[in-house]
Amino acid sequence: KEESLSNVSVEKQNDLRDKVMQDSKFKEIKDKYAFNTDNVVVKQFPEENGSVYAVRIPINDNTGYQYSSYTVFFDKNCQQKESVLFMFNKLEDGIYQFFAKTGDSTVTANISEDGKILNAEKIDSCGVGQDLTKILEYKNLEANASGFAASFLTIKTAAAAGFWSCFNSCLAGMGIPAWAIAALGVACSAICVGTAGAACLLCLKAAEVVLVGTVTYCFGQCW
């Protein structure tokens, strides 16, 4: 569905916004980033997605876009489930630094303006690092060799080249810059491969809140 995110009442917005602001996780990071607390967005996913609420606080950065953000998810009973931080920083040489953090892992990457992933690493809660560039290269080769088609993908193979090729092309056609698309791939691809569906879809939902209907539309076209 192109329009899967719905508005919530002002009372609910204020309640969830206050919960995020008073949460210890937010208090730990509020001075590290330039949060735009005047433009907090509160949306709700449809019933088939668990009626999950998403509270997005934009973060001002130097890219000229509004993709940097801190998003907190609540279940339908307004109990906090997870938080996802997406942060971008444009360097003088045109390289985009990308940083993503969830409750149990951190992802860092350097991406060129044309979307080339120069390096990417995931660090889990135990401090163990994983080279995502190698994983993504391997998965792309694996997917091409197997001949996966986007229409036959399951959650566990969501990072197969057929899906991401379609997904990336769709996002590019909607005006999303190549470096932001690549960052989405870095943040979600490794999570989506070989895992249960929940973590994979949560990553995509975080991106959906950032890009609003664009991700929803393209996901529906390519899944």
Side-chain angles (χ1 to χ4, degrees), residues 121-141:
E121 183 182 31
K122 175 184 175 183
I123 301 175
D124 64 22
S125 57
C126 297
V128 178
Q130 198 172 30
D131 188 346
L132 295 183
T133 53
K134 300 298 182 184
I135 293 176
L136 293 173
E137 288 172 4
Y138 172 75
K139 288 302 176 185
N140 283 338
L141 290 173

